[in-house]
Amino acid sequence: MGKPVIEVKKARKVYVMGEERINAVNGVSFTIDRGEFCCLLGTSGSGKSTLLNLMAGIEKLTSGDILIMGESIRDMSENRLAKFRQENLGFVFQAYNLIGSMTAVENVELPLVFKHMGASQRRKRAIAILKKVGLTKRMYHKPKEMSGGQQQRVGIARAFVAKPAIVFADEPTGNLDTRTTAEVMELIKSMAIKHHQTVVMVTHDVSLAGYADKIIRVLDGNIQSIEINENPVNPGQSAGSETYEKPEE
């Protein structure tokens, strides 16, 4: 795959609750290469989401270090970390995390606002990516006017619109039915492949891990195994296709 874009070095996260110390992440080490689709697989409470939050700089390490694109995020100031995330990272959430008062296109424009992109250029790029995720007819709808699958596609468009180097996805299909889950997984993977982006996805679903190039199994804050998937599930689109259009629901 190439040079590691994420290096996790003896990462540890301890929560102190009264007299109790909870080792959520227990000194783990691994790398993720540029352009790799990596799955953190584990049951509820295994520490996989905490690990993702540490890599994304959302939570602070207790000890150890994490390098993203060669830079240590451990000692970054809050301002530097916020700027680093805006420039390099995208996020897809289980709960969509869309702003209810905004339309789909306004939600997708948000990361570009933080990049100080001009209004007309922002709108043009947001419209283009919403078309790619199959939401041509839903651009000016608000979240409450869309299905769960449509809302998640808006979330994916928002995560990818600024062309981040890395996209973190935390249980991105957790609220979706089986058919929509397959559509969303294909969409995330096709977008990442096209722009050679790295995806780090957390899931408890073994079948979804089949999309990944690398599967890291997490249990009780420890790495159980790291598996290279020689035959990952790839998007079922024609070679050279520029878009991933699904029928509007």
Side-chain angles (χ1 to χ4, degrees), residues 61-131:
L61 286 158
T62 301
S63 64
D65 201 1
I66 295 175
L67 276 64
I68 307 289
M69 299 167 66
E71 287 197 58
S72 169
I73 63 171
R74 181 176 181 187
D75 298 320
M76 284 185 186
S77 68
E78 287 300 325
N79 285 345
R80 172 72 185 110
L81 192 54
K83 187 167 171 38
F84 185 82
R85 279 200 295 258
Q86 287 168 13
E87 290 173 351
N88 300 296
L89 309 181
F91 298 89
V92 183
F93 304 97
Q94 178 177 343
Y96 319 136
N97 285 20
L98 303 178
I99 296 174
S101 60
M102 290 183 169
T103 63
V105 74
E106 288 168 339
N107 268 285
V108 173
E109 281 181 340
L110 264 182
L112 305 178
V113 172
F114 294 120
K115 281 182 169 282
H116 308 293
M117 186 179 285
S120 61
Q121 192 180 353
R122 285 199 311 263
R123 182 56 54 99
K124 184 178 178 182
R125 194 186 284 190
I127 286 172
I129 199 166
L130 281 166
K131 285 180 178 177

Side-chain angles (χ1 to χ4, degrees), residues 8-105:
V8 178
K9 300 181 175 183
K10 298 182 180 178
R12 185 180 302 277
K13 180 65 179 180
V14 180
Y15 295 105
V16 179
M17 302 179 74
E19 298 286 311
E20 194 176 3
R21 289 168 61 83
I22 300 166
N23 292 304
V25 175
N26 202 16
V28 304
S29 299
F30 58 89
T31 61
I32 298 171
D33 290 341
R34 190 176 300 277
E36 202 164 44
F37 192 125
C38 178
C39 173
L40 300 178
L41 178 65
T43 56
S44 178
S46 62
K48 61 189 186 300
S49 290
T50 302
L51 186 51
L52 181 127
N53 288 339
L54 290 171
M55 284 189 276
I58 294 167
E59 294 202 47
K60 291 284 189 186
L61 286 158
T62 301
S63 64
D65 201 1
I66 295 175
L67 276 64
I68 307 289
M69 299 167 66
E71 287 197 58
S72 169
I73 63 171
R74 181 176 181 187
D75 298 320
M76 284 185 186
S77 68
E78 287 300 325
N79 285 345
R80 172 72 185 110
L81 192 54
K83 187 167 171 38
F84 185 82
R85 279 200 295 258
Q86 287 168 13
E87 290 173 351
N88 300 296
L89 309 181
F91 298 89
V92 183
F93 304 97
Q94 178 177 343
Y96 319 136
N97 285 20
L98 303 178
I99 296 174
S101 60
M102 290 183 169
T103 63
V105 74

